[in-house]
Amino acid sequence: MASSRKYPPAMPDPDFLADVDRSEALVTCHPNDYPPGRVIGWHAHAKEQLVYAAHGVIMVSAQGGQWIVPSTRGIWMPAGVRHSIRCIGEVHMRSVYVRPGATPHLPRECAVVGISPLLRELILAAIAITPGYANQSRDGRVMRLLLDELHALPVLPLHLPQPDEPRLQRICTRLLEAPDDPTTLDDWGQRLGVDAKTIQRLFARETGMTFGQWRQQARLLHGLERLASGEKVVDVALAAGYDSPSAFATMFKRQFGQTPSEFFR
């Protein structure tokens, strides 16, 4: 199991951020390795960014929710979006920075994305390329191909939207703290002094999900995080509120298209 050591939030090196933002290159790529539990504090980039988790799992928070990014996946971060990152286990992070306007039709919202074998190899090759490369050189062609591959990023359902409405925040905070909490929608209505139908309408308006869908997503992402830390499926399933490992695996495959063992293979 991954170390549970916690680090205080640390801001990225401001000189590094300034260098990234000042670069005139269409694309640059930088590697960073972090120990388990490292927290990278709230910051933003003037560049578009693809954060690729070559090893380990990261939890990304930004306005609009949380995203869990398993090993070999990535998260697309539009320019100017403030975000923080928590490392689950040892993390080998590879960041691709793209100059705004370098290419059209890139995602305009945060999203966890699949990383194709070709894109993975291009990212690894790009790490060795220093800024200042000529666009028509071999290095420039590698970066151009990398840029082309960004158009084909498949979006994965690993987002948990966070509501602004105070009553929903109370519900969601509880479910994040205790994913196995069995409190029903009617029970929450009585506890908050509001009709259950009103809660459903608020969930739809604030998150685009029903109460049940949000709770299911929270449970699955909680389970995914614990699986990534090396815990057994049976322990994860019960902690997430499922009656059995098979019930958890069935719902996991329905949502993510793969069983837990396939997902981390």
Side-chain angles (χ1 to χ4, degrees):
M1 184 182 302
S3 168
S4 59
R5 181 179 177 183
K6 301 298 183 183
Y7 291 84
M11 293 300 296
D13 181 0
D15 292 334
F16 168 74
L17 292 180
D19 287 343
V20 167
D21 289 345
R22 279 196 303 262
S23 173
E24 292 296 322
L26 293 179
V27 188
T28 55
C29 189
H30 297 276
N32 292 99
D33 295 341
Y34 297 103
R38 173 68 71 190
V39 176
I40 304 166
W42 290 90
H43 64 285
H45 306 280
K47 299 288 182 68
E48 316 269 21
Q49 182 185 17
L50 174 66
V51 181
Y52 167 51
H55 175 82
V57 178
I58 58 176
M59 178 72 77
V60 179
S61 298
Q63 182 178 7
Q66 296 178 332
W67 292 259
I68 188 164
V69 187
S71 177
T72 73
R73 274 71 169 185
I75 183 167
W76 179 258
M77 190 69 58
V81 175
R82 293 188 72 250
H83 58 282
S84 66
I85 298 174
R86 177 167 61 89
C87 298
I88 303 167
E90 181 181 348
V91 169
H92 299 169
M93 187 185 302
R94 306 295 179 255
S95 292
V96 178
Y97 298 98
V98 181
R99 193 175 72 195
T103 184
H105 311 307
L106 291 177
R108 302 315 310 160
E109 297 180 347
C110 299
V112 175
V113 295
I115 302 295
S116 69
L118 174 57
L119 181 55
R120 180 183 67 242
E121 293 305 318
L122 287 169
I123 292 172
L124 296 179
I127 290 171
I129 297 176
T130 57
Y133 57 85
N135 288 335
Q136 299 307 315
S137 66
R138 177 264 181 191
D139 290 348
R141 289 191 291 273
V142 168
M143 292 303 201
R144 274 289 184 185
L145 183 55
L146 192 160
L147 202 57
D148 288 342
E149 281 298 295
L150 295 181
H151 290 281
L153 294 173
V155 176
L156 305 178
L158 298 174
H159 175 216
L160 188 65
Q162 298 298 315
D164 293 323
E165 208 281 333
R167 289 167 295 185
L168 295 195
Q169 287 182 343
R170 180 176 169 185
I171 296 173
C172 294
T173 297
R174 172 58 185 169
L175 293 177
L176 289 174
E177 292 173 346
D180 58 343
D181 187 329
T183 305
T184 66
L185 188 61
D186 288 332
D187 292 337
W188 275 113
Q190 293 179 9
R191 188 177 300 180
L192 298 173
V194 64
D195 186 78
K197 292 182 179 179
T198 299
I199 296 178
Q200 284 287 37
R201 284 195 297 270
L202 290 171
F203 260 100
R205 186 187 73 191
E206 297 261 328
T207 71
M209 297 178 170
T210 66
F211 165 79
Q213 289 170 337
W214 196 96
R215 179 169 62 181
Q216 193 74 263
Q217 184 76 342
R219 287 177 170 179
L220 288 172
L221 294 184
H222 173 81
L224 194 155
E225 178 180 344
R226 295 181 64 157
L227 287 171
S229 297
E231 296 189 37
K232 296 180 179 178
V233 173
V234 60
D235 296 328
V236 170
L238 296 177
Y242 291 88
D243 294 332
S244 66
S246 61
F248 171 73
T250 297
M251 188 58 65
F252 190 99
K253 185 172 184 178
R254 183 180 302 171
Q255 178 70 350
F256 303 136
Q258 297 174 301
T259 64
S261 60
E262 291 170 339
F263 192 91
F264 286 100
R265 185 171 300 161

